[in-house]
C-alpha cells in the first residue's frame, strides 16, 4: 500500500502536514537526546566510590554511547492506538522531560513497540493506524501510512516503507532494518533465548538482519547479558565488514564479531586441506577421540623424591596414585595438575613439620648429642614460642613455609617431571601425525582416512581450529582468570575460554560438527541463535537437513523456526531457482518472493577468447545503469584469477565468497563452471540469488570449457 492510496492521510496537503508534524517531533526528540547525553556526562564526571557505583557508571556510559550513536534514524515509526494514545518508535528510547511524561521515543525492542511489527487488520492489537517515517539524517523526507482497519492483501507490514528500502541502492554495507522488520521476522527476533534456535530461511528472507537485530534485542531485554557479551559468528572477514555498521547503529557495544577460524587466539589459518580431509576433521567423532587421547596423558603413579634444606623427602607411589586420582576427578588436565601440585607441596610441608617435631621428640628421649640440631624453617614472629620450644611449627610458620615451597623452582621442576605442562598445538600434531595413535584413539577412521589426516602440512588449516579448541578445552588453560571479569570486547575476543551470554551464528549451514562443539563451549547453557539456509550449504560436510547438521552436538535440545518470505531477491530471479534446487537435492520449500524488480534475468553466450572483454563491457553497462549502487561479479573458481588480473579495480569473487552479500545487480560468469564445482548446484543457487534488482549471466561455449 502506498501513501497515495492510504486513508485517512490521503492528499498532498495532508501528507505535507504529516511530514511537518513528524519533523517537529523528531527535532524535539533530538533536543531531548542531547540534554540526556549532557546530564549523563555530568553524572559520569563524578568518580565512582565503590563497586556498586562502578557498575552503575558502566551502565550509564553504555546508555550515553547508545544515545550519541543515534543521530540517524532516531524515529522511524508511529502507532496511533484505538484509545487515542500516540507512540513514536525508534532505534533507542528517549524519555520525556519529567518522570510523569510519556517517552518521546519508544525503543523498538520494548514490549510496547511490538504492535508496530505484529498488528494487522485481522489482529490490530489495539491499534488504529501505523506510520512509517522516512528520515535522512535528521530530516523527515516522507511518511507511509497504514490504517489497520483495511485489509492488506500482501500481508506485509509497512509495505510502502519496505519496498522503498528494498529499492534503495546498495552501498556495500548492511544497514539496520528495525523500521521494516516483518511479522515473522519479529517473532524470531523476540523469541525466548532458551536453548538453540535454528532459523531456516532462503535467499532474501532477512536471515542476517534477523540475527543481528536479535542480538540487539536480547541485550536490551536481558541486561545481564551485557556482562557476558554476545558472540556473533559469520562465515568470512568480508562478511563481517559488510555487517559491521549494523550493531553499533542499533546502539550495541557488548558484542564480539568473529569467524570460526579466529576463535582460538594465537592461531592463524595459513594452510588449506583437501575437501575430503576437511570433511574428516569436521566429524563429531573427534570430540570423544580427543577426550580419550587427553585422558591417556594423565601421568602414571610413581614415587616422588623432594629435597628441602638438604633433607630428602619421599612421597610413595601409592600415595601419588591417590593424589592423581583425586585431582583428575571432573577436572581438565591442567586443572588437575594444579590441584596435584598443591597437594604435593602440602605433603612436603607436612613432612617437614613432622620431621621437625620428630627431632625435638628425640631430644626429649635423651639424645643429647643432637640437642642443638633443628630444622631450618622460616623465621616468623613468635617463632621462639612454638618450634623453638617443642619442634611443632605454628600456623604462621606453616604458612610461611608454604609460601617458600610454592616459590621454590626445584620443587616446581620435580612436579613438572611427574606431571608436565602440555602445549595443545604440540599434542594435536603428535596425535594427527601418528597412525598408531589415530588407530587407538579414533578407531572409526579407515586407513585411507587416517592417511589423509596425517598428511604433513605447513601451518594450520581451517578444520584444525575446532580440533585445537577441543584439545585446548580438555587440557585446560594454565592461566586462571578472575571469575568476575567485566566484559570488554577486546578482552573476551582475546580469551578462548570466555563464556558468552548468547551466540549468534550466521550462515550456520556451513559449520561442521566439530565447529558446533566449538560454539557450544562458548555458551554452556546453549543459548544460541543459528540462521542459515540448508540449501546454500557448500562445505564438504554431508548434511542436507538441520537435524543432521546439529544433532550430533545438540541431540534433541533444539528448536527450529522458518523465514518463508523473500524480500530481497526479486521474483524474476527466484523463478530460475526451482530446477537448481532440485539438482542440489533440496528438501526445503523455497521462499515466496513478494516483489518484482521489473528486470528479467538475461544471458549472454561468449567464447573463451571474448570472455574478458564481454565481462568488462557488461560490468560497465550494469555500473552505469545502477549508478550510486553496487554491482557484484561472481565467477567459477578457476576463472577468478584470470578475470581479476584482466579487469582492473573490478572485484571478482567465487560463489563461496559471495555468501551473505548482496548487490543491486549481479553478473554471474560461467554458471556451468560453478555447477561443476563440489556441491556446485548449491553454489550456483547462492550466486544467482545475490541481486536485489538485476541478474546477468555470461555463459562460455562448449568449445571454451
Amino acid at each position: 500500500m502506498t501513501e497515495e492510496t492510504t486513508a485517512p492521510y490521503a492528499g498532498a496537503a495532508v501528507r505535507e502536514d504529516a511530514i511537518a508534524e513528524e519533523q517537529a517531533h523528531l527535532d524535539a526528540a533530538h533536543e531531548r537526546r542531547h540534554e540526556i547525553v549532557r546530564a549523563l556526562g555530568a553524572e559520569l564526571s563524578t568518580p565512582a566510590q565503590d563497586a556498586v557505583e562502578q557498575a552503575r557508571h558502566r551502565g550509564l556510559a553504555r546508555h550515553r554511547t547508545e544515545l550519541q550513536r543515534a543521530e540517524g534514524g532516531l524515529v522511524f515509526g508511529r502507532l496511533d492506538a484505538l484509545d487515542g494514545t500516540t507512540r513514536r518508535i525508534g532505534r533507542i528510547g528517549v524519555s520525556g522531560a519529567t518522570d510523569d511524561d510519556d517517552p518521546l521515543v519508544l525503543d523498538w525492542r520494548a514490549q510496547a513497540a511490538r504492535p508496530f511489527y505484529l498488528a494487522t487488520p485481522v489482529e490490530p492489537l489495539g491499534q488504529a493506524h501505523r506510520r512509517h517515517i522516512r528520515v535522512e539524517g535528521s530530516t523527515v523526507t516522507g511518511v507511509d501510512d497504514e490504517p489497520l482497519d483495511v485489509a492488506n492483501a500482501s500481508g506485509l507490514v509497512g509495505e510502502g516503507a519496505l519496498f522503498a528500502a528494498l529499492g534503495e541502492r546498495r552501498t556495500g554495507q548492511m544497514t539496520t532494518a528495525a523500521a521494516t522488520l516483518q511479522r515473522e521476522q519479529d517473532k524470531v527476533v523476540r523469541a525466548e533465548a532458551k536453548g538453540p534456535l535454528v532459523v531456516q530461511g532462503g535467499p532474501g528472507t532477512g536471515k542476517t538482519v534477523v540475527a543481528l537485530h536479535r542480538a540487539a534485542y536480547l541485550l536490551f531485554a536481558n541486561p545481564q547479558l551485557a556482562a557476558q557479551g554476545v558472540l556473533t559468528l559469520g562465515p568470512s572477514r568480508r562478511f563481517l565488514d559488510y555487517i559491521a555498521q549494523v550493531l553499533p547503529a542499533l546502539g550495541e557495544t557488548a558484542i564480539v564479531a568473529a569467524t570460526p577460524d579466529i576463535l582460538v587466539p594465537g592461531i592463524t589459518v595459513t594452510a588449506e586441506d583437501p575437501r575430503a580431509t576437511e570433511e574428516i576433521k569436521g566429524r563429531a567423532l573427534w570430540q570423544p577421540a580427543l577426550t580419550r587421547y587427553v585422558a591417556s596423558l594423565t601421568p602414571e603413579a610413581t614415587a616422588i623424591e623432594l629435597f628441602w634444606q638438604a633433607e630428602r623427602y619421599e612421597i610413595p607411589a601409592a600415595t601419588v596414585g591417590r593424589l592423581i586420582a583425586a585431582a583428575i576427578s571432573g577436572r581438565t588436565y591442567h586443572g588437575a595438575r594444579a590441584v596435584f601440585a598443591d597437594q604435593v607441596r602440602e605433603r612436603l610441608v607436612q613432612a617437614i613439620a613432622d620431621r621437625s617435631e620428630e627431632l625435638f621428640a628425640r631430644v626429649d628421649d635423651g639424645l643429647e648429642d643432637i640437642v642443638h640440631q633443628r630444622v631450618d624453617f622460616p623465621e616468623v614472629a613468635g617463632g621462639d614460642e612454638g618450634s623453638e620450644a617443642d619442634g611443632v611449627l605454628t600456623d604462621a610458620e606453616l604458612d610461611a613455609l608454604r609460601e617458600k615451597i610454592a616459590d621454590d623452582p626445584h620443587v616446581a621442576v620435580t612436579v613438572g617431571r611427574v606431571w608436565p605442562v602440555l602445549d595443545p598445538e604440540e599434542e594435536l600434531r603428535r596425535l594427527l601425525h601418528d597412525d598408531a595413535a589415530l588407530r587407538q584413539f579414533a578407531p572409526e577412521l579407515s586407513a585411507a582416512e587416517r592417511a589423509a589426516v596425517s598428511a604433513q602440512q605447513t601451518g594450520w588449516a581451517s578444520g584444525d581450529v575446532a580440533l585445537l579448541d577441543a584439545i585446548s578445552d580438555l587440557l585446560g588453560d594454565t592461566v586462571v582468570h578472575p571469575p568476575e571479569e567485566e566484559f570488554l570486547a577486546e578482552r573476551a575476543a582475546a580469551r578462548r575460554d570466555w563464556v558468552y551470554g548468547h551466540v549468534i551464528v550466521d550462515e550456520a549451514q556451513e559449520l561442521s560438527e566439530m565447529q558446533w562443539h566449538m560454539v557450544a563451549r562458548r555458551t554452556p547453557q546453549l543459548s544460541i541463535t543459528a540462521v542459515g539456509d540448508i540449501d546454500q550449504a557448500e562445505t564438504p560436510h554431508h548434511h542436507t537437513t538441520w537435524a543432521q547438521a546439529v544433532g550430533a552436538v545438540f541431540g534433541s535440545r533444539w528448536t527450529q523456526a522458518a523465514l518463508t518470505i523473500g524480500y530481497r531477491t526479486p521474483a524474476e530471479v527466484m523463478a530460475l531457482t526451482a530446477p537448481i534446487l532440485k539438482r542440489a537435492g533440496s528438501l526445503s520449500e523455497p521462499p515466496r518472493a513478494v516483489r518484482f524488480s521489473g528486470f528479467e534475468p538475461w544471458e549472454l553466450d561468449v567464447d573463451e577468447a571474448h570472455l574478458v572483454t564481454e565481462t568488462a563491457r557488461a560490468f560497465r553497462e550494469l555500473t552505469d545503469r545502477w549508478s550510486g549502487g553496487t554491482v557484484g561479479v561472481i565467477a567459477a573458481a578457476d576463472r577468478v584469477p584470470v578475470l581479476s588480473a584482466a579487469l582492473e579495480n573490478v572485484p571478482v569473487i567465487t560463489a563461496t565468497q559471495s555468501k551473505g552479500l548482496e548487490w543491486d545487480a549481479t553478473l554471474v560468469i560461467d554458471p556451468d563452471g560453478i555447477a561443476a564445482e563440489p556441491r556446485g548446484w548449491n553454489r550456483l543457487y547462492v550466486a544467482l540469488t545475490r541481486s536485489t534488482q538485476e541478474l546477468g549471466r555470461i555463459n562460455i561455449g562448449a568449445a571454451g570449457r
Side-chain angles (χ1 to χ4, degrees):
M1 190 168 289
T2 64
E3 52 192 10
E4 284 74 21
T5 60
T6 301
Y9 300 103
V14 174
R15 287 198 303 276
E16 290 176 4
D17 289 344
I19 290 173
E21 179 187 12
E22 299 306 337
Q23 184 66 62
H25 190 90
L26 180 61
D27 292 342
H30 274 298
E31 183 177 347
R32 176 62 181 151
R33 179 176 69 92
H34 290 307
E35 290 177 2
I36 298 173
V37 168
R38 287 193 294 270
L40 290 171
E43 193 165 356
L44 289 169
S45 65
T46 303
Q49 300 300 317
D50 53 33
V52 174
E53 276 292 302
Q54 289 172 357
R56 182 170 176 274
H57 272 215
R58 287 195 294 270
L60 294 176
R62 184 166 179 258
H63 185 47
R64 180 177 64 174
T65 300
E66 291 174 336
L67 287 166
Q68 289 171 329
R69 288 176 170 173
E71 187 68 36
L74 180 62
V75 178
F76 54 70
R78 166 176 163 167
L79 282 172
D80 295 324
L82 291 169
D83 64 4
T85 304
T86 296
R87 293 189 178 94
R88 264 73 174 197
I89 315 298
R91 54 186 278 188
I92 189 170
V94 178
S95 63
T98 70
D99 292 341
D100 295 329
D101 293 336
D102 291 331
L104 290 175
V105 183
L106 187 64
D107 194 300
W108 69 272
R109 298 165 289 188
Q111 184 65 23
R114 289 211 74 182
F116 185 75
Y117 303 102
L118 299 184
T120 67
V122 177
E123 293 182 85
L125 303 179
Q127 308 304 311
H129 301 95
R130 173 170 43 221
R131 169 177 287 171
H132 281 78
I133 304 166
R134 298 199 300 275
V135 178
E136 291 183 8
S138 57
T139 302
V140 177
T141 60
V143 296
D144 295 285
D145 288 308
E146 187 180 0
L148 293 171
D149 57 357
V150 178
N152 180 347
S154 72
L156 299 176
V157 173
E159 181 178 347
L162 174 64
F163 285 175
L166 292 171
E168 291 177 351
R169 295 290 193 264
R170 266 44 193 172
T171 63
Q173 283 191 321
M174 179 173 281
T175 57
T176 66
T180 56
L181 283 176
Q182 297 299 297
R183 187 182 179 93
E184 71 173 7
Q185 294 175 326
D186 184 75
K187 286 183 176 180
V188 173
V189 166
R190 299 174 194 261
E192 187 178 3
K194 200 171 184 180
L197 174 65
V198 177
V199 183
Q200 163 64 29
T205 53
K207 299 182 294 296
T208 299
V209 162
V210 165
L212 297 177
H213 285 70
R214 178 160 170 76
Y217 168 75
L218 289 174
L219 285 165
F220 174 85
N222 305 281
Q224 70 273 16
L225 287 186
Q228 298 173 275
V230 171
L231 173 65
T232 301
L233 281 182
S236 65
R237 174 52 60 184
R238 183 190 296 269
F239 177 82
L240 296 181
D241 292 342
Y242 175 60
I243 67 171
Q245 300 304 312
V246 175
L247 289 166
L250 291 171
E252 294 307 337
T253 56
I255 289 180
V256 172
T259 69
D261 283 358
I262 62 174
L263 275 185
V264 179
I267 300 301
T268 301
V269 172
T270 58
E272 184 174 354
D273 278 330
R275 283 180 64 85
T277 305
E278 184 181 352
E279 186 276 324
I280 296 167
K281 289 182 178 179
R283 296 178 192 172
L285 67 87
W286 288 99
Q287 190 62 42
L290 289 168
T291 300
R292 291 189 289 266
Y293 176 68
V294 171
S296 75
L297 302 175
T298 303
E300 299 283 343
T302 182
I304 299 178
E305 185 179 65
L306 295 160
F307 289 88
W308 185 258
Q309 303 291 347
E311 292 283 333
R312 178 183 176 278
Y313 299 86
E314 181 178 297
I315 304 176
T319 301
V320 172
R322 288 193 295 272
L323 295 181
I324 290 174
I328 63 176
S329 178
R331 297 184 178 91
T332 65
Y333 174 93
H334 287 128
R337 181 188 184 278
V339 172
F340 174 77
D342 285 342
Q343 290 302 310
V344 168
R345 288 190 289 264
E346 185 61 26
R347 290 277 174 164
L348 178 58
V349 168
Q350 293 304 320
I352 293 170
D354 290 346
R355 186 165 298 182
S356 172
E357 187 175 354
E358 178 188 349
L359 288 172
F360 277 87
R362 290 169 62 189
V363 171
D364 289 342
D365 288 341
L367 299 176
E368 296 295 332
D369 56 321
I370 60 168
V371 70
H372 297 298
Q373 293 184 29
R374 63 182 296 273
V375 175
D376 186 9
F377 49 80
E379 293 184 4
V380 293
D384 57 345
E385 297 179 0
S387 58
E388 290 284 354
D390 57 10
V392 177
L393 302 188
T394 65
D395 289 343
E397 290 172 329
L398 288 171
D399 288 342
L401 181 58
R402 288 188 183 97
E403 290 181 10
K404 291 188 69 175
I405 289 175
D407 294 335
D408 187 86
H410 301 293
V411 173
V413 168
T414 301
V415 172
R417 280 198 295 265
V418 177
W419 198 322
V421 172
L422 298 180
D423 178 74
E425 294 186 58
E426 291 181 5
E427 293 306 319
L428 184 60
R429 285 194 184 94
R430 184 174 291 119
L431 173 62
L432 294 184
H433 300 310
D434 185 336
D435 186 72
L438 288 173
R439 280 201 312 274
Q440 179 182 355
F441 299 109
E444 303 92 336
L445 297 178
S446 67
E449 289 170 336
R450 292 196 304 273
V453 167
S454 61
Q456 293 292 328
Q457 66 176 19
T458 302
W460 295 113
S462 179
D464 295 319
V465 177
L467 301 182
L468 277 167
D469 189 66
I471 197 169
S472 296
D473 185 70
L474 292 164
L475 288 173
D477 294 317
T478 56
V479 177
V480 179
H481 300 282
E484 301 298 328
E485 275 192 299
E486 175 193 356
F487 173 85
L488 292 173
E490 297 81 3
R491 174 183 294 153
R495 281 185 42 188
R496 188 203 60 78
D497 63 340
W498 188 273
V499 173
Y500 292 89
H502 195 79
V503 177
I504 302 284
V505 184
D506 205 342
E507 300 294 345
Q509 73 279 355
E510 305 301 343
L511 267 61
S512 70
E513 292 170 334
M514 284 305 293
Q515 287 174 323
W516 280 116
H517 273 298
M518 189 161 57
V519 170
R521 275 190 285 276
R522 278 146 183 82
T523 173
Q525 69 275 28
L526 297 184
S527 184
I528 298 165
T529 301
V531 301
D533 181 3
I534 203 70
D535 292 328
Q536 293 186 51
E538 54 175 280
T539 51
H541 321 302
H542 296 154
H543 51 251
T544 56
T545 68
W546 285 112
Q548 293 170 347
V550 303
V553 179
F554 301 147
S556 60
R557 298 173 297 168
W558 62 284
T559 56
Q560 185 169 340
L563 297 173
T564 62
I565 302 172
Y567 308 101
R568 179 199 69 208
T569 309
E572 294 94 335
V573 171
M574 286 305 298
L576 301 175
T577 61
I580 295 170
L581 285 172
K582 184 176 181 180
R583 296 292 296 271
S586 171
L587 301 176
S588 304
E589 187 71 23
R592 174 175 63 88
V594 297
R595 57 183 282 271
F596 289 83
S597 68
F599 291 87
E600 286 295 331
W602 52 268
E603 292 184 89
L604 178 65
D605 296 327
V606 304
D607 57 31
E608 190 77 40
H610 297 93
L611 174 60
V612 172
T613 56
E614 288 300 316
T615 299
R617 182 190 58 77
F619 179 79
R620 286 194 301 270
E621 289 181 359
L622 289 172
T623 301
D624 291 341
R625 187 150 53 244
W626 298 102
S627 177
T630 58
V631 177
V633 181
I634 305 173
D638 60 355
R639 297 193 179 276
V640 169
V642 173
L643 289 171
S644 296
L647 302 177
E648 187 176 357
N649 298 323
V650 177
V652 182
I653 62 177
T654 66
T656 300
Q657 293 167 333
S658 74
K659 192 176 294 292
L661 306 180
E662 63 181 42
W663 299 272
D664 295 277
T666 304
L667 192 59
V668 178
I669 313 299
D670 193 7
D672 290 342
I674 295 175
E677 295 172 0
R679 297 196 78 161
W681 293 106
N682 300 83
R683 293 186 180 189
L684 185 57
Y685 180 55
V686 172
L688 296 181
T689 54
R690 298 303 95 198
S691 65
T692 64
Q693 304 293 343
E694 184 176 357
L695 169 66
R697 290 165 290 171
I698 295 182
N699 304 312
I700 318 303
R705 285 213 59 82

